[in-house]
């Protein structure tokens, strides 16, 4: 993109008055500079639009700057002086940000112990005549990183011998452990992780592998992940069953394209829906229970609430209704199932962020109040408070803030200080209308403030949509849902998704027999127990 022009904030009313002035009298130097800047900007934008590499995001950032919803930055863009409130993080607070990792971060690296060439534990010290050397608990470390192709290949040249008399052919046996399959379990795990975890389309990986002289066609990649998905279905079914028992569920959805669903007469798993339903969505569900978080992705014509209802249909009858966190759209509700509904405070806050340039003083009051509420929530998290203690903490510290905010919102409307149809009026109306579910965290133990965890989970589906653009068939969408669910659940459990997908493929029979023992948070214990039994 070409170099940016100096930024001049100018509203359309000022520009229109300036144009009218050109008809009456000569312009002043400042007026002439302003008009010239506006014309230069128009020409510059026209030039950018003609460029092949220009994107809407680039133009948006050029005109309005980088987007952020931090209270200080939102108010600064609106011309409101809002210095950061002092915050005592203690003398030992480490801001971090140096960008370097210690050896502990490389837990997935191959570990190679290196013994000392001349000395052993208990030997005489070569420097002093009477001392002895002892092994230290922490060894010296060297970290070396190497590059390689995502999918590696090994060609085994098996020697062949032929009898010159009888013609019998003798071929060398392959080395032990090579296996009979051309594609190892790690191949399926890596392709799935690149495609559904990192957003690399099949054709890009095909081109990369071809450049590295280890070809892997896109069609072959699909065959590998489709077969792998079939073998891993028990893991997804168990994740879904356990997600239904969660104490807290988040849900939301994002548009998705499935080409086959746009064709007349195409098969549809959601054939019981109304025939005029044309939208296609990927729903994200994040369930928390027994200390574990599970992410599920479901693609089809159903909305997030309908997909959540299908998941909760497997909920144990003796369990009470779960806490549900979502935005205020009615399509997010799992009708007719009962839930303890909470609405996303971040969605309500965003409405004030959007109108801050027009109503800076009023929005500043709301944004700074909510900032303090979020700080109290961060303090509770830093102290490791349990659900009941966290509830008491919010009631003591956030409750008075929210009560004052509710009174202020009511006063704005009752005093007719805000036009109801204005942007600020609609933001206030949204906050007041949904006040009860928006403040669930003041009444219900364990209720979160917002739905951000689900929003972050849906970024995985959005990344796929941006890079691959669509799913071709509903079967392909279900394969993507399976791998996204397993991969993101691994991330939430701080487990290695590559190792997890590989382990599931190598222990398919055990997975089918006891799927609950092969979840991202306990599969390593299962592997360790199996190793002890076999030993």
């Amino acid at each position: 993109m070409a170099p940016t022009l100096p930024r001049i904030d100018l509203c359309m009313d000022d520009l229109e008055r300036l144009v009218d002035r050109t008809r009456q009298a000569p312009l002043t130097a400042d007026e002439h500079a302003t008009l010239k800047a506006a014309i230069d900007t128009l020409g510059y934008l026209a030039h950018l639009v003609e460029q092949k590499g220009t994107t809407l995001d680039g133009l948006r950032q050029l005109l309005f700057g980088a987007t952020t919803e931090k209270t200080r930055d939102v108010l600064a863009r609106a011309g409101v002086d809002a210095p950061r409130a002092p915050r005592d993080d203690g003398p030992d607070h480490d801001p971090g940000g140096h960008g370097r990792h210690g050896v502990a971060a490389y837990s997935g690296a191959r570990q190679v112990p290196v013994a000392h060439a001349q000395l052993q534990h208990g030997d005489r010290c070569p420097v002093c005549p009477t001392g002895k050397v002892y092994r230290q608990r922490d060894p010296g470390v060297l970290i070396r990183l190497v590059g390689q192709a995502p999918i590696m290949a090994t060609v085994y040249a098996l020697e062949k011998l032929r009898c010159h008399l009888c013609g019998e052919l003798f071929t060398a046996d392959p080395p032990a452990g090579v296996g009979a399959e051309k594609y190892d379990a790690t191949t399926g795990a890596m392709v799935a992780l690149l495609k559904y975890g990192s957003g690399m389309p099949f054709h890009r990986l095909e081109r990369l592998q071809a450049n590295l002289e280890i070809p892997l066609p896109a069609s072959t990649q699909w065959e590998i992940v489709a077969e792998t998905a079939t073998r891993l279905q028990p893991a997804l079914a168990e994740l879904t069953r356990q997600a239904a028992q969660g104490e807290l569920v988040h849900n939301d959805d994002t548009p998705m394209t499935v080409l086959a669903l746009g064709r007349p007469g195409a098969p549809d798993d959601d054939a019981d829906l109304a025939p005029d339903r044309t939208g296609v969505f990927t729903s994200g569900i994040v369930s928390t229970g027994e200390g574990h978080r599970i992410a599920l992705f479901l693609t089809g014509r159903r909305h997030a609430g309908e997909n959540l209802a299908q998941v909760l249909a497997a909920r144990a009858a003796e369990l009470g209704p779960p806490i549900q966190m979502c935005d205020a759209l009615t399509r997010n509700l799992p009708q007719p199932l009962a839930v303890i509904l909470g609405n996303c405070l971040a969605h309500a806050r965003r409405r004030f962020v959007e109108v801050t340039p027009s109503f800076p003083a009023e929005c500043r009051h709301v944004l700074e109040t909510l900032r303090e509420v979020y700080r109290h929530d961060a303090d509770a998290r830093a102290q490791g408070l349990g659900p009941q203690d966290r509830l008491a903490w919010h009631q003591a510290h956030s409750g008075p803030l929210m009560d004052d905010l509710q009174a202020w919102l009511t006063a704005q409307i009752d005093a007719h200080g805000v036009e109801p149809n204005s942007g600020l009026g609609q933001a206030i109306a949204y906050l007041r209308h949904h006040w009860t579910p928006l403040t669930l965290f003041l009444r219900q133990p364990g209720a979160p403030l917002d739905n951000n965890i689900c929003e972050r989970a849906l970024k995985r589906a959005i990344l796929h949509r941006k890079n691959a653009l669509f799913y071709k068939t509903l079967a392909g969408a279900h394969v993507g849902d399976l791998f996204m669910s397993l991969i993101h659940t691994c991330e939430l459990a701080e487990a290695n998704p590559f190792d997890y997908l590989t382990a599931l493929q190598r222990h398919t029979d055990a997975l089918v027999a006891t799927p609950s023992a092969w979840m991202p948070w306990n599969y390593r214990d299962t592997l360790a127990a199996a190793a002890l039994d076999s030993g």
Side-chain angles (χ1 to χ4, degrees):
M1 187 171 288
T4 58
L5 295 174
R7 181 181 176 88
I8 298 178
D9 293 325
L10 187 67
C11 67
M12 288 303 300
D13 291 342
D14 293 337
L15 188 58
E16 290 176 358
R17 283 193 294 269
L18 184 57
V19 172
D20 290 340
R21 280 269 293 111
T22 61
R23 301 176 180 175
Q24 302 170 4
L27 300 179
T28 65
D30 289 343
E31 290 174 337
H32 179 270
T34 300
L35 183 59
K36 186 177 186 306
I39 294 174
D40 288 344
T41 300
L42 179 61
Y44 180 50
L45 290 177
H47 168 72
L48 291 179
V49 170
E50 293 177 352
Q51 303 301 311
K52 182 178 180 181
T54 302
T55 63
L56 289 178
D57 286 340
L59 290 175
R60 190 178 294 112
Q61 184 168 343
L62 168 70
L63 293 174
F64 306 109
T67 58
T68 175
E69 293 187 5
K70 290 184 177 180
T71 300
R72 181 181 59 176
D73 297 331
V74 169
L75 296 178
R77 288 199 301 269
V80 178
D81 183 18
R84 181 183 294 273
R87 183 175 177 85
D88 183 13
D89 290 311
D92 298 328
H93 175 64
D94 178 14
H98 49 68
R100 295 184 294 273
H101 295 290
V103 66
Y106 295 88
S107 57
R110 184 167 63 98
Q111 305 293 324
V112 180
V114 180
H116 198 281
Q118 289 83 30
L119 298 175
Q120 295 183 358
H121 179 79
D123 286 354
R124 290 289 182 182
C125 176
V127 176
C128 62
T130 58
K132 292 185 178 181
V133 295
Y134 295 95
R135 184 176 295 109
Q136 301 297 293
R137 182 187 63 180
D138 297 326
V141 294
L142 291 175
I143 301 174
R144 297 293 183 264
L145 303 181
V146 298
Q148 64 180 27
I151 308 297
M152 293 296 295
T154 303
V155 177
Y156 294 92
L158 305 180
E159 184 181 19
K160 286 187 176 182
L161 303 173
R162 181 175 180 275
C163 176
H164 79 286
L165 186 60
C166 68
E168 187 68 23
L169 194 64
F170 303 91
T171 304
D173 294 331
V178 171
E181 299 293 334
K182 180 177 180 180
Y183 300 105
D184 184 71
T186 56
T187 302
M190 180 56 72
V191 174
L193 192 57
L194 290 173
K195 166 70 171 175
Y196 303 109
S198 300
M200 177 178 283
F202 290 142
H203 69 89
R204 291 185 189 172
L205 181 56
E206 176 183 13
R207 186 164 60 248
L208 174 61
Q209 289 291 138
N211 289 338
L212 299 176
E213 299 181 341
I214 305 176
L216 188 65
S219 58
T220 302
Q221 296 175 48
W222 162 247
E223 292 171 358
I224 292 172
V225 297
E227 180 183 355
T228 302
T230 301
R231 300 168 63 187
L232 303 190
Q233 283 292 340
L236 178 62
E238 178 61 18
L239 279 180
T240 304
R241 186 195 69 80
Q242 293 198 27
Q245 321 309 318
E247 304 157 2
L248 167 65
V249 290
H250 300 253
N251 71 316
D252 202 355
D253 54 25
T254 186
M256 188 58 65
T257 299
V258 180
L259 295 183
L261 293 183
R263 301 170 185 167
D268 191 345
D269 287 357
D270 302 327
D272 57 317
L273 298 177
D276 58 347
R277 176 87 64 94
T278 58
V280 180
F281 309 90
T282 291
S283 297
I285 298 174
V286 178
S287 174
T288 302
E290 298 183 354
H292 305 301
R293 293 182 295 179
I294 298 172
L296 299 176
F297 295 84
L298 303 99
T299 299
R301 295 198 185 279
R302 296 186 185 275
H303 296 302
E306 295 165 330
N307 284 319
L308 180 59
Q310 285 191 331
V311 172
L312 294 181
R315 187 175 180 83
E318 62 272 14
L319 296 177
I323 301 172
Q324 182 198 358
M325 171 54 65
C326 60
D327 59 45
L329 289 176
T330 56
R331 73 186 193 187
N332 289 331
L333 300 180
Q335 300 173 352
L337 300 179
V339 294
I340 303 173
L341 180 63
N343 282 160
C344 177
L345 197 60
H347 276 76
R349 178 185 179 278
R350 189 170 297 124
R351 291 174 175 263
F352 289 91
V353 169
E354 293 171 351
V355 299
T356 296
S358 301
F359 306 92
E362 295 86 349
C363 292
R364 175 179 183 175
H365 177 71
V366 176
L367 294 178
E368 291 186 342
T369 299
L370 296 181
R371 177 176 62 186
E372 292 305 310
V373 172
Y374 271 90
R375 284 184 171 177
H376 293 319
D377 193 61
D379 291 338
R381 188 164 52 250
Q383 297 175 51
L385 300 182
Q388 289 292 345
D389 291 337
R390 174 179 174 271
L391 174 61
W393 177 270
H394 269 302
Q395 288 175 339
H397 296 84
S398 302
L401 293 173
M402 297 302 289
D403 290 341
D404 291 344
L405 178 59
Q406 185 179 29
W408 182 85
L409 295 172
T410 302
Q412 298 300 308
I413 299 300
D414 293 346
H416 304 288
V418 176
E419 168 59 42
N421 292 327
S422 67
L424 178 60
Q426 293 176 3
I428 291 176
Y430 180 91
L431 195 54
R432 296 183 67 210
H433 181 68
H434 301 290
W435 186 262
T436 299
L438 285 170
T439 57
L440 182 65
F441 67 95
L442 295 175
R443 300 182 303 277
Q444 180 67 35
L449 270 64
D450 52 47
N451 199 33
N452 288 351
I453 188 174
C454 189
E455 300 285 345
R456 289 192 294 269
L458 280 174
K459 287 184 177 180
R460 189 167 303 283
I462 295 172
L463 179 65
H464 178 274
R465 185 180 66 209
K466 286 185 174 180
N467 286 278
L469 302 182
F470 53 80
Y471 291 111
K472 185 176 181 180
T473 65
L474 199 57
H478 291 338
V479 169
D481 291 342
L482 179 142
F483 283 114
M484 288 184 190
S485 300
L486 297 181
I487 291 170
H488 195 55
T489 301
C490 282
E491 293 178 347
L492 294 176
E494 297 183 351
N496 185 324
F498 176 74
D499 286 347
Y500 179 64
L501 296 178
T502 302
L504 292 187
Q505 295 178 72
R506 290 177 173 169
H507 300 84
T508 304
D509 293 340
L511 171 64
V512 173
T514 55
S516 60
W518 294 92
M519 297 290 96
W521 51 84
N522 64 8
Y523 82 100
R524 289 189 178 277
D525 296 334
T526 304
L527 289 174
L532 288 176
D533 292 341
S534 62

